[in-house]
Amino acid sequence: MNEHANPQNLSERADALEERMMHELGERIATRSTLFNIADGKVEMPSGPALKAANPDKYFLMGADPRLPKMPAKPTLIDFFNNRFASLNHLLQSATHALKGGHSEKVVLACLLHDIGVASFIRCDHGYWGAQMIEPYVDEEVSWAVRTHQALRFFPDPAVGYEYPKMYIDYFGADYKPEPYIVAEYERARKHKYYMTSRLICVNDIYSFDPDAKVDLNDFVDIIGRNFRQPEEGLGFDNSPSAHMWRTLMWPTRFL
Ligand SMILES: [Fe+2]
Ligand SMILES: [Fe+2]
């Protein structure tokens, strides 16, 4: 059956599922932020009074969501890898490729973290989101490279063997042109001292989509230890400029 034929049923089903999930949380009401609904094409959010009226005996969730893997009190980057990043294979393959290529630890770390924006948060402008998340904890070369791969990936650099990915023609169409802000980012990046670090993310990236490749996060624990300043208080509790992003990942359904 064409599921687009009857949108009413679809949205009713979604509401029923949401209702059921809410009940599975027991005493607490988990709320969906506007962004979650926008992703479903609805610019709306559940109002506090309406949710409370429908669940008069419950309080809103203001901490951990029991449907999600439990996070420790002082979470590390590895804990986020294991409990909040939806897909590790691509990141691990990319970093493994960089490691085998004999690149510096900064490049390997940049490859390992380059798509955490996608893996944890949001696809749109993922390079910018990912860079912001890690900025307080890594060398500026690493966060710069992660931010800028967002733009560089759309522009070939034959000198290092990077062509426009064929996959993008499949994904976006042959006539896709990056927006002016991406072109401007690329132009700035070409003249930057860290250009090659970001370019190496792209070079290691395109070889990294083999679902059967053997990869292991343990191979990178030492590199993370040497190059990612894990805050003692735990990621999210260290009052850094991006601590709130890590907390949001930890508690995505808190009411406030
Ligand atoms: Fe990316
Ligand atoms: Fe990637």
Side-chain angles (χ1 to χ4, degrees), residues 114-115 126 149 153 205:
H114 78 283
D115 279 342
H126 71 284
H149 96 278
R153 59 210 333 278
D205 201 353

Side-chain angles (χ1 to χ4, degrees), residues 134-154:
I134 62 174
E135 207 139 43
Y137 313 106
V138 298
D139 191 283
E140 62 171 5
E141 182 176 350
V142 175
S143 53
W144 189 92
V146 169
R147 175 176 290 107
T148 312
H149 96 278
Q150 173 85 41
L152 292 194
R153 59 210 333 278
F154 294 109

Side-chain angles (χ1 to χ4, degrees), residues 29-205:
I29 306 165
T31 40
R32 285 166 71 91
S33 296
T34 301
L35 183 64
F36 303 159
N37 289 322
I38 282 183
D40 287 331
K42 298 182 286 186
V43 187
E44 60 186 48
M45 64 173 191
S47 87
L51 278 175
K52 189 66 188 165
N55 302 271
D57 304 331
K58 293 182 179 180
Y59 293 118
F60 290 112
L61 193 67
M62 284 298 283
D65 188 324
R67 297 169 300 179
L68 292 170
K70 202 168 159 33
M71 293 288 282
K74 295 180 178 179
T76 64
L77 178 65
I78 305 274
D79 293 318
F80 280 94
F81 262 91
N82 288 328
N83 298 309
R84 288 295 185 275
F85 294 176
S87 170
L88 301 192
N89 204 44
H90 173 65
L91 295 171
L92 292 175
Q93 283 192 48
S94 175
T96 301
H97 199 262
L99 196 61
K100 285 185 178 157
H103 293 294
S104 71
E105 292 201 346
K106 281 179 195 166
V107 169
V108 174
L109 185 71
C111 289
L112 183 68
L113 300 178
H114 78 283
D115 279 342
I116 62 167
V118 170
S120 69
F121 225 67
I122 193 160
R123 285 186 173 279
C124 175
D125 273 339
H126 71 284
Y128 297 92
W129 284 103
Q132 201 173 357
M133 289 168 75
I134 62 174
E135 207 139 43
Y137 313 106
V138 298
D139 191 283
E140 62 171 5
E141 182 176 350
V142 175
S143 53
W144 189 92
V146 169
R147 175 176 290 107
T148 312
H149 96 278
Q150 173 85 41
L152 292 194
R153 59 210 333 278
F154 294 109
F155 299 90
D157 184 347
V160 292
Y162 183 80
E163 302 298 336
Y164 184 80
K166 287 197 179 63
M167 177 193 281
Y168 286 2
I169 296 174
D170 287 346
Y171 279 12
F172 312 128
D175 57 350
Y176 173 73
K177 292 265 181 297
E179 294 85 343
Y181 80 95
I182 292 287
V183 178
E185 189 80 90
Y186 166 66
E187 297 293 350
R188 283 193 300 272
R190 277 175 51 155
K191 300 174 209 125
H192 198 278
K193 61 181 171 178
Y194 299 143
Y195 168 79
M196 196 46 72
T197 312
S198 191
R199 180 51 83 188
L200 283 170
I201 292 179
C202 307
V203 169
N204 287 286
D205 201 353

